[in-house]
Short mmCIF file of all heavy atoms in Angstrom, two decimals:
data_model
loop_
_atom_site.label_atom_id
_atom_site.label_comp_id
_atom_site.label_asym_id
_atom_site.label_seq_id
_atom_site.Cartn_x
_atom_site.Cartn_y
_atom_site.Cartn_z
N THR P 55 -38.04 -82.33 -67.73
CA THR P 55 -36.74 -82.72 -67.18
C THR P 55 -36.27 -83.99 -67.88
O THR P 55 -37.08 -84.76 -68.42
CB THR P 55 -36.80 -82.97 -65.67
OG1 THR P 55 -37.67 -84.08 -65.40
CG2 THR P 55 -37.30 -81.74 -64.92
N ASP P 56 -34.95 -84.21 -67.84
CA ASP P 56 -34.41 -85.41 -68.46
C ASP P 56 -33.10 -85.79 -67.80
O ASP P 56 -32.44 -84.95 -67.15
CB ASP P 56 -34.19 -85.20 -69.96
CG ASP P 56 -34.29 -86.51 -70.74
OD1 ASP P 56 -34.26 -87.60 -70.09
OD2 ASP P 56 -34.39 -86.47 -71.96
N LYS P 57 -32.75 -87.06 -67.95
CA LYS P 57 -31.55 -87.58 -67.31
C LYS P 57 -30.30 -87.12 -68.04
O LYS P 57 -30.26 -87.01 -69.26
CB LYS P 57 -31.60 -89.11 -67.29
CG LYS P 57 -32.74 -89.69 -66.49
CD LYS P 57 -32.76 -91.21 -66.60
CE LYS P 57 -33.92 -91.79 -65.81
NZ LYS P 57 -33.99 -93.27 -65.93
N GLY P 58 -29.26 -86.90 -67.24
CA GLY P 58 -27.95 -86.64 -67.79
C GLY P 58 -27.14 -87.92 -67.80
O GLY P 58 -27.68 -89.01 -68.02
N ASP P 59 -25.86 -87.80 -67.52
CA ASP P 59 -24.97 -88.96 -67.58
C ASP P 59 -24.99 -89.83 -66.32
O ASP P 59 -24.74 -91.03 -66.39
CB ASP P 59 -23.53 -88.48 -67.82
CG ASP P 59 -23.39 -87.78 -69.15
OD1 ASP P 59 -24.02 -88.24 -70.13
OD2 ASP P 59 -22.66 -86.77 -69.22
N VAL P 60 -25.27 -89.22 -65.19
CA VAL P 60 -25.20 -89.96 -63.92
C VAL P 60 -26.43 -89.69 -63.06
O VAL P 60 -26.34 -89.15 -61.96
CB VAL P 60 -23.91 -89.62 -63.14
CG1 VAL P 60 -22.70 -90.24 -63.81
CG2 VAL P 60 -23.73 -88.10 -63.01
N PRO P 61 -27.64 -90.09 -63.50
CA PRO P 61 -28.87 -89.74 -62.78
C PRO P 61 -29.23 -90.65 -61.61
O PRO P 61 -30.10 -90.30 -60.81
CB PRO P 61 -29.93 -89.86 -63.88
CG PRO P 61 -29.40 -90.97 -64.74
CD PRO P 61 -27.91 -90.80 -64.74
N GLU P 62 -28.56 -91.81 -61.50
CA GLU P 62 -28.97 -92.79 -60.50
C GLU P 62 -28.85 -92.23 -59.08
O GLU P 62 -27.81 -91.69 -58.70
CB GLU P 62 -28.12 -94.07 -60.62
CG GLU P 62 -28.30 -94.82 -61.93
CD GLU P 62 -27.57 -94.18 -63.09
OE1 GLU P 62 -26.64 -93.38 -62.84
OE2 GLU P 62 -27.95 -94.47 -64.24
N GLY P 63 -29.90 -92.36 -58.32
CA GLY P 63 -29.91 -91.93 -56.93
C GLY P 63 -30.38 -90.49 -56.73
O GLY P 63 -30.40 -90.00 -55.61
N TYR P 64 -30.75 -89.84 -57.82
CA TYR P 64 -31.17 -88.44 -57.76
C TYR P 64 -32.56 -88.26 -58.38
O TYR P 64 -32.98 -89.02 -59.24
CB TYR P 64 -30.19 -87.54 -58.53
CG TYR P 64 -28.76 -87.63 -58.08
CD1 TYR P 64 -27.86 -88.49 -58.73
CD2 TYR P 64 -28.29 -86.87 -57.02
CE1 TYR P 64 -26.54 -88.59 -58.33
CE2 TYR P 64 -26.97 -86.96 -56.62
CZ TYR P 64 -26.10 -87.82 -57.27
OH TYR P 64 -24.79 -87.91 -56.86
N LYS P 65 -33.24 -87.24 -57.90
CA LYS P 65 -34.49 -86.80 -58.52
C LYS P 65 -34.44 -85.29 -58.65
O LYS P 65 -33.73 -84.60 -57.91
CB LYS P 65 -35.69 -87.19 -57.66
CG LYS P 65 -36.04 -88.65 -57.68
CD LYS P 65 -37.20 -88.94 -56.73
CE LYS P 65 -38.42 -88.14 -57.01
NZ LYS P 65 -39.54 -88.47 -56.09
N VAL P 66 -35.21 -84.77 -59.60
CA VAL P 66 -35.34 -83.33 -59.76
C VAL P 66 -36.80 -83.00 -60.03
O VAL P 66 -37.60 -83.87 -60.34
CB VAL P 66 -34.48 -82.78 -60.92
CG1 VAL P 66 -32.99 -82.93 -60.62
CG2 VAL P 66 -34.84 -83.47 -62.24
N SER P 67 -37.11 -81.72 -59.91
CA SER P 67 -38.42 -81.25 -60.30
C SER P 67 -38.28 -79.83 -60.82
O SER P 67 -37.34 -79.12 -60.47
CB SER P 67 -39.40 -81.29 -59.13
OG SER P 67 -39.03 -80.33 -58.15
#
Side-chain angles (χ1 to χ4, degrees):
Chain P
T55 63
D56 208 346
K57 297 177 181 178
D59 297 321
V60 288
E62 295 78 19
Y64 304 95
K65 286 176 57 179
V66 293
S67 68

